[in-house]
Amino acid sequence: MTFEIKKFNPAEMGMPLGLYRQISRVRASEFIFIAGQLSVDRSGAVVGKGDFEAQMRQVFANIGDALHSTNCSFANIVKITTYLVHSQDIELFMETRKKLFPTLFPDGGYPPNTLIIVDRLVQEEFLIEVDTTAAL
Amino acid sequence: MTFEIKKFNPAEMGMPLGLYRQISRVRASEFIFIAGQLSVDRSGAVVGKGDFEAQMRQVFANIGDALHSTNCSFANIVKITTYLVHSQDIELFMETRKKLFPTLFPDGGYPPNTLIIVDRLVQEEFLIEVDTTAAL
Amino acid sequence: MTFEIKKFNPAEMGMPLGLYRQISRVRASEFIFIAGQLSVDRSGAVVGKGDFEAQMRQVFANIGDALHSTNCSFANIVKITTYLVHSQDIELFMETRKKLFPTLFPDGGYPPNTLIIVDRLVQEEFLIEVDTTAAL
């Protein structure tokens, strides 16, 4: 099976409310499921206590490490789900995404995202968790 | 690969607590991942402020548009996750589903659903978000 | 297509914060999507009101029933998402997992997990819901 992934905003739908595509469509021979990533370093220590942008950057660095370990890149991501703890961080999430994503997804192939504000993550310090599915 | 999707309630399990099937089983050559859909029209304006049923209908209309843009229909959905903001809307969600789903899924092939009540969605006005995975 | 599933912690990443693997990688011909499972028996009655461990055991028993109905076992799980209602139950979740998972996953093939604390589930009595994707 030839790998093919298309991420797009169909004319039938409104534009996304941010840097994501409404749809990804994938023909793949393998799927990669990554555990929800938090802002920890390799020793498991929390990175960026109280600093949302630092946490978000660490989370995507961890996702990058996960992808590279399977010979994938961010282009292989087919869907993400983003959980934030504070609605006050939504704007900062949007701003950090604008800074970060054009580098991670240089061809503009932003994956579909679902953004949810929840009560808490596994430890009180964590401000963001990202769940990722990729394909190849 | 021949496309085949089965949605069923196995005898080993209890009946679902609503209009969904416990399991979907799919043999597919392509998967479609749709960003979490909110109650917006094509211009991005919120539809149905303070009206849960109107929002839920708009959300599923948007999912329908997403499916049609990939030559799929609701029958291609393999899983949904539904996020509500207010537990007071759970009953209205069940009632609206009873009105809406027999039309969207005329053969009774309701997809497995996970229903979660969360703090908030991307904007305060949104009362429901639905995350959809489809296959073909 | 030959079925193959690998669950691992790549050297590039930190160790998981519990009994899960950072990544699952799967080459499969079929996917199984299971509706979020709650602590109900086959009659739909709530099991273990106010008893987190009892609820968690029932939830995984239900997931086991779902898997068996498709000729799968826990080894076929590629991803789970765990929703808890009370952050006070996180420790009990970790402890119950340590008791339960070595039996359910005897080869240590723990699936990637995303743990989220949310407001509520479909009924007030439910303390945990688990969403499962499997492959074969």
Side-chain angles (χ1 to χ4, degrees):
Chain A
M1 193 184 294
T2 313
F3 174 66
E4 185 185 57
I5 175 169
K6 292 178 195 160
K7 300 173 196 173
F8 58 100
N9 298 317
E12 291 91 335
M13 301 181 77
M15 290 299 291
L17 309 176
L19 282 192
Y20 61 90
R21 301 298 182 211
Q22 295 280 22
I23 297 180
S24 73
R25 179 174 189 157
V26 61
R27 213 177 257 283
S29 55
E30 285 188 78
F31 280 90
I32 307 286
F33 299 88
I34 304 173
Q37 290 300 302
L38 297 156
S39 184
V40 290
D41 63 19
R42 287 184 198 189
S43 74
V46 180
V47 171
K49 279 187 196 175
D51 180 343
F52 181 85
E53 180 170 340
Q55 289 207 11
M56 184 166 165
R57 288 182 178 275
Q58 182 67 35
V59 163
F60 278 94
N62 291 347
I63 293 170
D65 287 340
L67 292 165
H68 297 149
S69 80
T70 57
N71 295 318
C72 289
S73 75
F74 283 92
N76 293 88
I77 295 178
V78 294
K79 174 76 182 13
I80 62 178
T81 304
T82 307
Y83 302 97
L84 306 186
V85 171
H86 302 303
S87 59
Q88 297 91 326
D89 289 334
I90 295 176
E91 205 172 320
L92 204 43
F93 165 71
M94 302 282 193
E95 286 169 21
T96 305
R97 187 166 59 177
K98 274 187 204 154
K99 289 191 245 177
L100 194 59
F101 271 29
T103 307
L104 301 183
F105 304 93
D107 65 348
Y110 307 122
N113 180 42
T114 298
L115 174 66
I116 304 292
I117 319 302
V118 298
D119 258 28
R120 224 195 81 156
L121 301 172
V122 65
Q123 291 172 28
E124 192 125 34
E125 293 91 342
F126 294 126
L127 303 172
I128 177 172
E129 178 156 3
V130 179
D131 190 291
T132 307
T133 305
L136 71 162
Chain B
M1 195 186 292
T2 313
F3 174 65
E4 185 185 56
I5 175 169
K6 292 178 193 161
K7 300 172 196 174
F8 58 102
N9 298 317
E12 291 91 334
M13 300 181 77
M15 290 299 291
L17 309 176
L19 283 192
Y20 61 90
R21 301 298 183 212
Q22 294 280 22
I23 297 179
S24 73
R25 178 174 189 157
V26 62
R27 213 177 258 283
S29 56
E30 285 188 76
F31 280 89
I32 308 286
F33 299 88
I34 305 174
Q37 290 300 302
L38 297 157
S39 184
V40 290
D41 63 18
R42 288 184 197 188
S43 75
V46 180
V47 172
K49 278 186 195 175
D51 181 342
F52 181 84
E53 180 169 341
Q55 290 207 11
M56 184 166 166
R57 287 181 179 277
Q58 183 66 35
V59 163
F60 279 94
N62 291 347
I63 293 170
D65 287 341
L67 292 165
H68 297 149
S69 80
T70 57
N71 294 318
C72 288
S73 75
F74 283 92
N76 293 89
I77 296 178
V78 294
K79 174 78 182 13
I80 63 178
T81 304
T82 306
Y83 302 96
L84 306 186
V85 171
H86 301 302
S87 59
Q88 298 90 326
D89 288 335
I90 295 176
E91 205 173 320
L92 204 43
F93 165 71
M94 301 284 193
E95 286 169 20
T96 306
R97 187 166 59 177
K98 273 187 204 154
K99 290 191 244 176
L100 195 58
F101 271 29
T103 308
L104 301 182
F105 305 92
D107 66 348
Y110 308 122
N113 180 40
T114 298
L115 175 65
I116 304 292
I117 319 303
V118 298
D119 258 26
R120 222 194 86 156
L121 301 172
V122 66
Q123 290 173 27
E124 192 125 32
E125 293 90 343
F126 294 126
L127 303 172
I128 178 172
E129 178 156 4
V130 179
D131 190 291
T132 307
T133 306
L136 71 163
Chain C
M1 194 185 291
T2 313
F3 174 64
E4 185 185 57
I5 175 169
K6 291 178 194 160
K7 300 173 196 174
F8 58 100
N9 298 317
E12 291 90 335
M13 300 181 77
M15 289 300 289
L17 309 176
L19 283 191
Y20 61 90
R21 302 298 182 212
Q22 294 281 22
I23 296 180
S24 73
R25 178 174 188 156
V26 61
R27 213 178 258 283
S29 55
E30 285 188 78
F31 280 90
I32 308 285
F33 299 89
I34 304 174
Q37 290 300 302
L38 297 157
S39 184
V40 290
D41 62 19
R42 287 183 197 188
S43 74
V46 180
V47 172
K49 278 187 196 175
D51 181 342
F52 181 84
E53 180 170 340
Q55 290 208 10
M56 184 167 166
R57 287 181 178 277
Q58 182 67 35
V59 163
F60 278 93
N62 292 347
I63 293 170
D65 287 340
L67 292 166
H68 297 148
S69 81
T70 57
N71 295 317
C72 289
S73 75
F74 283 92
N76 293 88
I77 296 178
V78 294
K79 174 76 183 12
I80 63 178
T81 304
T82 306
Y83 301 96
L84 306 186
V85 171
H86 302 302
S87 59
Q88 297 90 326
D89 289 334
I90 295 176
E91 205 173 320
L92 204 44
F93 165 71
M94 301 284 192
E95 286 170 21
T96 305
R97 186 165 60 177
K98 273 187 206 157
K99 290 191 243 178
L100 195 58
F101 271 28
T103 307
L104 301 182
F105 304 93
D107 66 347
Y110 307 121
N113 180 41
T114 299
L115 175 65
I116 303 292
I117 319 302
V118 297
D119 257 27
R120 222 193 85 156
L121 302 172
V122 65
Q123 291 172 27
E124 192 125 32
E125 293 90 343
F126 294 126
L127 303 173
I128 178 172
E129 178 157 3
V130 179
D131 190 291
T132 307
T133 306
L136 70 163

